[in-house]
């Protein structure tokens, strides 16, 4: 059943959504990565409502979404280093798309958006509905993923309604997300480029684009100030998750769900209460698109365990494994 707040992303509903956002309301929005919970990025009160709606700690900053990289100067510091500006120029080949850059923050961005930091995370999303919406608003949209804090990100309008129906005025239905995983987050400073979160744009692609080294933040450091929102408990279903070939799986008993990247042998199917296949052809892009919906689905069944296979950490596989490790490391 479709929730009453979910509306088709027609031109008139997009105009409607823009009017609500102008009034300081929250709207569920489709992006090519995951659905977002959007507010006017320049309206501190509206942004405050995002934190309340999600139950998100005030220490975890939000991403600001722009219609175009031409609007970057509205949100980054005027005195941003020339070296950083040049690298942003190079990296803008990935825009619109699943790349978020952490840059020196401009004065117009309210404190609450950046959790008081002197950096701001920005991205130009590719979803046509989101782009049209930002255009109609005439201001950038602050939007985290549209899930309750620490739960699995939403990849359909229905997922948004499941967690946040009471908190939003409207949810624009832009169909299932094309990527299905959150954007790559890259910190750019004069001295270094650091991946704070893996996503659709890979380390290799970033290095090729910049012609220089791009580091990844160590998992141990994700509790540290550099990557405030990357604590390990993110992206977890309520059901315990473990890798099927890991030590924990040995002790997994009771009703067990199993997540496979490609169709498993019959013998494997027979062992589990429910088996979900992420891609019939074993395609990693398709697996990424289906992953969160699959975890949400299994989480509804009241299982004792969800066992997941591992995938090769090439291309989008790196981001998939990152999310699975976080889901599997939840302290129960
Ligand atoms: O694909 C996406 O990025 C989605 C869509 C809606 O755009 N958004 C998303 O937002 O995943 P959220 O809030 O769930 O994740 C944003 C991540 C968090 O880990 C946050 O801590 C980090 O970006 N972040 C935001 N601003 C930052 C900053 N100034 N410095 C370091 N990390 C920052
Ligand atoms: Mg999130």
């Amino acid at each position: 059943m479709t929730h009453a707040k979910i509306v088709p992303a027609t031109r008139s509903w997009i105009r409607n959504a823009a009017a609500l956002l102008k009034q300081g309301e929250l709207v569920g929005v489709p992006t090519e990565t995951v659905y977002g919970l959007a507010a006017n990025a320049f309206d501190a009160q509206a942004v405050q409502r995002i934190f309340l709606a999600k139950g998100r700690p005030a220490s975890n900053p939000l991403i600001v979404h722009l219609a175009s990289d031409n609007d970057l100067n509205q949100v980054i510091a005027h005195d941003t280093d020339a070296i950083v500006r040049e690298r942003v120029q190079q990296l803008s080949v990935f825009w619109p798309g699943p790349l978020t850059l952490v840059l020196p923050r401009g004065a117009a961005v309210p404190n609450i958006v950046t959790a008081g930091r002197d950096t701001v995370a920005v991205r130009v999303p590719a979803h046509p509905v989101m782009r049209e919406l930002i255009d109609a608003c005439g201001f950038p949209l602050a939007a985290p993923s549209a899930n309750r804090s620490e739960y699995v990100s939403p990849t359909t309008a229905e997922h948004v309604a499941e967690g946040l129906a009471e908190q939003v005025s409207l949810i624009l239905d832009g169909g299932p997300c094309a990527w299905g995983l959150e954007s790559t987050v890259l910190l750019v400073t004069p001295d270094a480029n650091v991946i704070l979160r893996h996503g659709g744009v890979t380390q290799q692609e970033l290095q090729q684009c910049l012609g220089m080294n791009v580091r990844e933040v160590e998992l141990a450091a994700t509790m540290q100030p550099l990557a405030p929102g990357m604590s390990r408990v993110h992206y977890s279903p309520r059901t315990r998750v473990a890798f099927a070939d890991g030590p924990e799986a040995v002790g997994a008993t009771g009703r067990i769900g199993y997540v496979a990247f490609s169709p498993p042998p019959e013998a494997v199917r027979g062992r589990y209460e429910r088996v979900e296949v992420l891609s019939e052809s074993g395609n990693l892009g398709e697996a990424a698109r289906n992953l969160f919906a699959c975890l949400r689905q299994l989480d509804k069944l009241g299982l004792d365990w969800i066992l997941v296979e591992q995938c090769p950490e090439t291309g989008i596989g790196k981001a998939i494994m990152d999310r699975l490790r976080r889901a599997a490391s939840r302290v129960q």
Side-chain angles (χ1 to χ4, degrees):
M1 205 189 70
T2 303
H3 194 274
K5 282 189 180 161
I6 299 176
V7 298
T10 58
R11 183 147 298 164
S12 68
W13 276 116
I14 291 173
R15 268 204 307 272
N16 218 303
L20 290 165
L21 287 160
K22 274 179 198 153
Q23 290 160 29
E25 311 248 332
L26 305 185
V27 173
V29 294
T31 86
E32 77 280 22
T33 56
V34 299
Y35 273 72
L37 178 63
N40 177 354
F42 292 150
D43 179 344
Q45 268 184 338
V47 173
Q48 169 74 30
R49 297 179 64 186
I50 292 179
F51 285 87
L52 292 175
K54 280 185 61 107
R56 182 178 176 110
S59 57
N60 191 1
L62 305 179
I63 296 173
V64 173
H65 298 74
L66 304 173
S68 143
D69 53 350
N70 294 329
D71 299 334
L72 209 52
N73 282 324
Q74 292 180 19
V75 294
I76 70 167
H78 291 306
D79 62 356
T80 297
D81 203 287
I83 301 172
V84 170
R85 281 189 189 273
E86 194 188 318
R87 258 182 276 148
V88 173
Q89 178 64 37
Q90 290 172 286
L91 291 165
S92 66
V93 297
F94 296 107
W95 283 343
L99 177 66
T100 296
L101 299 180
V102 176
L103 299 169
R105 164 202 172 176
V109 180
N111 251 315
I112 188 165
V113 173
T114 68
R117 289 166 172 270
D118 54 12
T119 53
V120 62
V122 288
R123 112 175 164 90
V124 180
H127 198 296
V129 173
M130 182 64 166
R131 292 169 65 76
E132 203 179 318
L133 178 64
I134 304 172
D135 266 338
C137 286
F139 45 75
L141 293 176
S145 52
N147 49 281
R148 299 275 311 166
S149 191
E150 296 184 358
Y151 197 59
V152 182
S153 291
T155 54
T156 66
E158 286 74 21
H159 293 164
V160 180
E162 275 168 25
L164 295 167
E166 305 308 316
Q167 286 82 357
V168 294
S169 299
L170 209 65
I171 301 166
L172 288 174
D173 190 349
C177 299
W179 286 86
L181 293 179
E182 306 85 350
S183 61
T184 303
V185 179
L186 181 71
L187 170 69
V188 182
T189 73
D191 313 315
N193 312 291
V194 187
I195 294 177
L196 305 181
R197 178 175 73 186
H198 288 283
V201 178
T202 65
Q203 184 175 19
Q204 198 188 356
E205 288 173 317
L206 292 169
Q207 282 181 165
Q208 252 160 27
C209 166
L210 291 173
M212 66 185 289
N213 187 45
V214 173
R215 296 197 275 128
E216 34 181 341
V217 77
E218 293 100 47
L219 195 58
T222 60
M223 298 300 237
Q224 305 302 311
L226 196 63
M230 294 304 293
S231 72
R232 300 188 70 172
V233 292
H234 265 65
Y235 318 106
S236 303
R238 280 175 292 270
T239 316
R240 282 174 295 186
V241 177
F243 285 108
D245 57 358
E248 266 193 306
V250 180
T253 53
R255 299 173 58 231
I256 304 174
Y258 187 89
V259 180
F261 279 88
S262 54
E266 272 312 310
V268 170
R269 283 185 185 273
R271 252 179 268 153
Y272 302 102
E273 172 100 11
R274 176 86 159 250
V275 173
E276 293 281 344
V277 179
L278 294 174
S279 168
E280 285 300 320
S281 60
N283 177 280
L284 279 189
E286 187 183 10
R289 267 196 299 286
N290 290 329
L291 180 65
F292 288 162
C294 163
L295 290 176
R296 280 173 173 261
Q297 195 65 32
L298 289 177
D299 207 21
K300 284 183 189 156
L301 303 179
L303 300 166
D304 296 297
W305 286 93
I306 297 173
L307 297 187
V308 295
E309 290 182 350
Q310 307 209 32
C311 72
E313 297 198 44
T314 52
I316 192 76
K318 183 92 188 170
I320 295 175
M321 282 301 292
D322 169 79
R323 303 309 188 272
L324 290 179
R325 276 194 199 102
R326 288 171 200 282
S329 70
R330 185 174 197 125
V331 183
Q332 299 287 332

